Amino acid sequence: MSKWYIDKGDLGDVVLSTRIRLARNIDEYPFPGHLDAKGKEKVSELVKNVLIGKENPFDLMAVKLEDLSSVQIVSLAEKHLISPEFTGPAQGRMLLISKDEGVSIMLCEEDHIRLQVMKPGLAPLEAYELADKIDTFLDSRLNYAFDERLGYLTQCPTNLGTAMRASVMLHLPALTRTGKLSQLSATVSKLGLTIRGAYGEGTGPRGDIYQLSNQITLGITEKAAIDNLRAITLQIVSQERQLAAELVKNPEFADKIYRAYGVLSSARLLSSDEFFELISLIRMGAANELIPIDIEKINELIVNMQPATINANRGETLDARQRDVLRAELVREAIRPQ
Amino acid sequence: MSKWYIDKGDLGDVVLSTRIRLARNIDEYPFPGHLDAKGKEKVSELVKNVLIGKENPFDLMAVKLEDLSSVQIVSLAEKHLISPEFTGPAQGRMLLISKDEGVSIMLCEEDHIRLQVMKPGLAPLEAYELADKIDTFLDSRLNYAFDERLGYLTQCPTNLGTAMRASVMLHLPALTRTGKLSQLSATVSKLGLTIRGAYGEGTGPRGDIYQLSNQITLGITEKAAIDNLRAITLQIVSQERQLAAELVKNPEFADKIYRAYGVLSSARLLSSDEFFELISLIRMGAANELIPIDIEKINELIVNMQPATINANRGETLDARQRDVLRAELVREAIRPQ
């Protein structure tokens, strides 16, 4: 089954993906931070048994984090299927995941339940609808910690209210290279959103990929938060497209894009950093019809060329040098003209 | 008719070409430095009429330097068909040249006659035989300035004796990149040879191409000078090949070669300096079976991508930026896999 992230969705030249994340806790249990391994395991098993019983309405698989190698766990984080935080102590933690990796539910991360739905391109409503369906199913079978005034109770007070984080992953090479990103960042923060590196707080951008997400969860409905994210995303897409179209008309810049293609189609050693630097240029070239490669193929490379994911896909633990050789080989094959 | 320099001769992976140059003067006339424009013209016409009369035994064409544009003249120098010195004041000077550009005779350069024969690869005897044939023909019809003790009399005393300069053009990327060239330079000078940049005294190497030539013309026969050049060239070829074979086994170095290929096959702007830097790596890659391009095609590019030669071939005077665009285009076309 092909993974959700290799499709190109709506506005896919700029919007790589949309994610809806809901945080939920069960009233009878303390937050995971106050549970020992046994307690976490109990909560994880409880939720798993609700979702995957005799029936499995959302077609999920359950994975105990303890059963995974550290390479597999880091690869899940690289693919945004789990949070960086979830790569920590594994005891009692569980992941429920769909075959296309579009639904991923972390059990006993910061909250008991962290439900994520991911879709290619800009699709916050579509993602929310599926998340809401799973949430409604759980709600009817579990006793959620909920307060009339504060909404869903969560470990971190910034999540109180809807406890929903809606975000899009954006490829913004033109805004980045024209130095307009800090200005954009200031603007969106006034509108209740935040833009940061693809791996969340404190991470820098890699391959000019950013995550734009809503910050406010209290005193706002899910629908309003999604509409807000959608509207601002549309504006950013329009800015990025316009700047990119101008940039690629500049012969020096076009030359940079073509050279990036030349290097990726020829190199025999390719570090992760260089790969992200060059693939960003190539993605921009593809989106603007300079380079004849499908955006889907590029998206797949962006996911699969990450260090731990290379190892996880390969089923062995290569060192950095061996990965650089393999990365160069896989990239050459992928972008070779058909 | 294809030009001599696009063939790959003996030991052509390292030896681009061999050149024999004879300097001759006519007894009745002062050296060109002491002739005015009219005097030079008289000497030029005299020699031309001997070589190209009713018959044209060596199938030469005569070109008055005054009739050429400065771009055409510089292009001739880039192709080593004339000396840099011959690009100076054109009045009275003439060039006799064969269709394949393998024979080129400068009239009224430093000496009345500067006869050059060029062959691809290592072929000093072959080149000398043709030069000697033309020289014998001229000798029987002109009164050469000759002294029993000093040999052929020339303007510059360093040419006295045989007045023959035998040289090979060598591509030495491995010796250059391993820092062994200065040592080699010291060694060959003890053996009566000199190694320098492709455009002679005072020029740096470009594309790791060097000219190795005999320095001694007095007290040595032509045959001995040629044997000496040949023997030392064979040793250098063997050293270069061995070092190159080792270098390309190094993954970092091989990666550099492949990347050079990637850039040349993709770039849209290509300066002359960058072209020579990269084509040198690619030539090394081709000679060592990393890159599937014929050495002949590379040799042709090395000649034709020079600034004035690009303009001369195009028949118009492009500025540096326009040349960089055209150079990138011509190189892409030439090295594209067939």
Side-chain angles (χ1 to χ4, degrees):
Chain A
M1 188 167 193
S2 77
K3 308 305 184 198
W4 71 269
Y5 47 79
I6 72 163
D7 288 331
K8 181 188 166 192
D10 203 18
L11 309 182
D13 54 329
V14 179
V15 187
L16 281 95
S17 61
T18 302
R19 180 166 50 153
I20 295 291
R21 192 218 68 200
L22 304 177
R24 300 291 185 257
N25 288 282
I26 304 167
D27 204 30
E28 295 84 353
Y29 295 88
F31 290 134
H34 300 279
L35 288 173
D36 60 9
K38 247 200 149 71
K40 288 183 196 167
E41 200 182 331
K42 200 169 169 187
V43 170
S44 295
E45 285 291 336
L46 172 65
V47 180
K48 186 201 91 172
N49 289 331
V50 167
L51 275 171
I52 312 178
K54 272 173 232 156
E55 284 174 65
N56 184 352
F58 302 103
D59 204 14
L60 301 171
M61 296 170 293
V63 184
K64 283 186 183 172
L65 267 277
E66 297 162 58
D67 294 343
L68 297 179
S69 68
S70 64
V71 158
Q72 288 173 314
I73 292 174
V74 176
S75 171
L76 289 171
E78 285 178 348
K79 293 154 97 176
H80 300 284
L81 297 172
I82 63 173
S83 62
E85 204 272 323
F86 208 54
T87 62
Q91 285 191 311
R93 286 175 161 180
M94 204 182 276
L95 178 69
L96 309 181
I97 190 168
S98 65
K99 274 185 196 147
D100 75 346
E101 301 181 359
V103 175
S104 126
I105 305 172
M106 292 178 274
L107 301 180
C108 294
E109 201 243 28
E110 190 179 283
D111 297 297
H112 294 148
I113 301 169
R114 285 272 176 122
L115 162 57
Q116 292 191 124
V117 175
M118 281 157 291
K119 297 279 177 194
L122 181 62
L125 257 179
E126 206 186 333
Y128 178 71
E129 276 163 16
L130 177 52
D132 187 47
K133 224 163 126 183
I134 302 171
D135 183 44
T136 304
F137 182 88
L138 284 170
D139 195 13
S140 67
R141 286 156 178 85
L142 294 168
N143 189 20
Y144 277 164
F146 185 82
D147 177 275
E148 279 305 323
R149 215 167 46 90
L150 295 174
Y152 294 101
L153 300 178
T154 54
Q155 160 83 3
C156 178
T158 58
N159 289 318
L160 289 171
T162 60
M164 181 191 80
R165 192 77 71 213
S167 64
V168 286
M169 209 65 92
L170 302 172
H171 183 227
L172 305 176
L175 280 158
T176 305
R177 280 151 212 270
T178 53
K180 302 213 160 134
L181 213 95
S182 55
Q183 189 193 320
L184 179 73
S185 180
T187 308
V188 301
S189 88
K190 283 181 203 147
L191 300 165
L193 296 175
T194 186
I195 190 161
R196 50 194 177 189
Y199 288 87
E201 248 166 305
T203 66
R206 198 169 59 171
D208 304 317
I209 296 171
Y210 300 85
Q211 183 182 311
L212 175 75
S213 59
N214 68 317
Q215 278 308 90
I216 302 162
T217 51
L218 202 54
I220 185 173
T221 65
E222 286 88 349
K223 178 75 175 48
I226 285 171
D227 285 349
N228 192 30
L229 177 73
R230 185 179 179 82
I232 293 166
T233 300
L234 289 176
Q235 282 189 33
I236 295 176
V237 167
S238 146
Q239 274 184 55
E240 170 65 24
R241 281 180 174 173
Q242 200 179 325
L243 281 172
E246 275 167 41
L247 265 184
V248 301
K249 274 189 221 142
N250 176 299
E252 270 76 16
F253 198 88
D255 183 52
K256 268 182 87 160
I257 291 178
Y258 286 114
R259 282 166 181 254
Y261 178 73
V263 170
L264 285 194
S265 60
S266 304
R268 258 56 180 178
L269 287 172
L270 196 58
S271 72
S272 179
D273 284 352
E274 190 185 10
F275 166 76
F276 277 101
E277 165 69 19
L278 299 179
I279 202 75
S280 176
L281 285 166
I282 287 176
R283 198 177 189 284
M284 194 178 175
N288 290 276
E289 295 179 1
L290 272 69
I291 305 277
I293 310 183
D294 292 341
I295 290 279
E296 291 86 337
K297 198 174 260 180
I298 295 172
N299 291 352
E300 195 175 355
L301 282 175
I302 287 174
V303 171
N304 284 330
M305 292 303 104
Q306 299 179 99
T309 302
I310 283 189
N311 278 341
N313 289 345
R314 184 80 171 187
E316 52 183 318
T317 306
L318 305 174
D319 63 25
R321 167 59 175 250
Q322 292 169 319
R323 278 199 308 274
D324 289 355
V325 172
L326 181 59
R327 185 181 290 111
E329 190 183 320
L330 294 170
V331 170
R332 282 203 313 280
E333 269 168 33
I335 71 173
R336 181 180 297 161
Q338 297 306 307
Chain B
M1 188 167 192
S2 76
K3 308 304 183 199
W4 72 269
Y5 48 79
I6 73 163
D7 289 331
K8 182 188 165 192
D10 202 20
L11 310 181
D13 55 329
V14 179
V15 188
L16 282 96
S17 61
T18 301
R19 178 165 53 151
I20 296 289
R21 192 218 67 199
L22 304 177
R24 300 290 185 258
N25 288 281
I26 304 168
D27 204 30
E28 295 85 353
Y29 295 88
F31 291 133
H34 300 280
L35 288 173
D36 60 10
K38 246 197 150 73
K40 287 183 196 167
E41 199 181 332
K42 198 167 170 188
V43 170
S44 295
E45 286 292 335
L46 172 67
V47 180
K48 185 201 93 173
N49 289 332
V50 167
L51 275 169
I52 313 178
K54 272 173 231 156
E55 285 174 65
N56 185 351
F58 302 103
D59 205 15
L60 300 171
M61 297 171 293
V63 184
K64 282 186 183 172
L65 267 277
E66 296 161 58
D67 295 343
L68 297 178
S69 69
S70 65
V71 158
Q72 288 174 314
I73 292 174
V74 176
S75 170
L76 289 171
E78 285 179 348
K79 292 154 97 176
H80 300 285
L81 296 172
I82 64 172
S83 62
E85 203 271 323
F86 208 55
T87 63
Q91 286 191 311
R93 286 175 160 178
M94 203 183 273
L95 179 69
L96 308 180
I97 191 169
S98 65
K99 274 184 195 147
D100 76 346
E101 301 182 358
V103 176
S104 125
I105 305 172
M106 291 179 274
L107 301 180
C108 294
E109 200 242 26
E110 190 179 284
D111 296 298
H112 294 148
I113 301 169
R114 284 271 175 120
L115 161 58
Q116 293 190 125
V117 174
M118 282 157 290
K119 297 279 176 194
L122 181 62
L125 257 179
E126 206 185 334
Y128 178 71
E129 276 163 17
L130 177 52
D132 187 46
K133 225 163 123 181
I134 302 171
D135 183 44
T136 303
F137 182 88
L138 284 169
D139 195 15
S140 66
R141 287 155 177 86
L142 294 167
N143 190 21
Y144 277 164
F146 185 83
D147 177 275
E148 279 305 323
R149 217 168 44 89
L150 295 172
Y152 294 101
L153 300 178
T154 53
Q155 159 84 2
C156 178
T158 58
N159 289 317
L160 289 171
T162 59
M164 181 192 81
R165 192 77 71 210
S167 64
V168 287
M169 210 66 92
L170 302 172
H171 183 227
L172 305 176
L175 280 157
T176 304
R177 279 151 211 270
T178 52
K180 303 216 160 133
L181 212 94
S182 55
Q183 189 193 320
L184 178 73
S185 179
T187 308
V188 301
S189 87
K190 283 181 204 149
L191 300 165
L193 295 175
T194 187
I195 190 161
R196 51 193 175 190
Y199 289 87
E201 245 167 305
T203 66
R206 198 169 59 171
D208 304 318
I209 296 171
Y210 299 84
Q211 182 182 310
L212 176 74
S213 60
N214 68 317
Q215 279 307 89
I216 301 163
T217 50
L218 202 55
I220 186 173
T221 65
E222 286 88 350
K223 178 74 176 48
I226 284 170
D227 285 349
N228 191 30
L229 176 74
R230 184 179 179 84
I232 293 166
T233 300
L234 288 176
Q235 281 189 34
I236 295 176
V237 167
S238 145
Q239 274 184 55
E240 171 66 25
R241 282 180 172 172
Q242 200 179 324
L243 280 172
E246 274 168 40
L247 266 185
V248 300
K249 274 189 221 143
N250 176 299
E252 269 77 15
F253 198 89
D255 183 51
K256 269 183 87 161
I257 290 177
Y258 286 114
R259 283 166 181 253
Y261 178 73
V263 171
L264 285 195
S265 59
S266 304
R268 258 56 180 179
L269 288 174
L270 196 58
S271 71
S272 179
D273 284 351
E274 190 184 11
F275 167 75
F276 276 101
E277 166 69 18
L278 298 178
I279 201 73
S280 176
L281 285 165
I282 287 175
R283 198 177 189 282
M284 194 177 174
N288 290 275
E289 294 177 1
L290 271 69
I291 305 277
I293 311 183
D294 293 341
I295 291 279
E296 290 86 338
K297 198 174 260 179
I298 295 172
N299 291 352
E300 195 174 355
L301 282 174
I302 287 173
V303 171
N304 284 330
M305 291 305 104
Q306 300 180 98
T309 302
I310 284 190
N311 278 341
N313 289 345
R314 184 81 171 184
E316 52 184 317
T317 306
L318 305 173
D319 64 25
R321 168 59 175 252
Q322 293 169 319
R323 277 200 308 273
D324 289 355
V325 172
L326 181 59
R327 185 182 290 112
E329 189 184 321
L330 294 171
V331 170
R332 282 203 312 280
E333 270 169 33
I335 71 174
R336 180 180 297 161
Q338 297 305 308

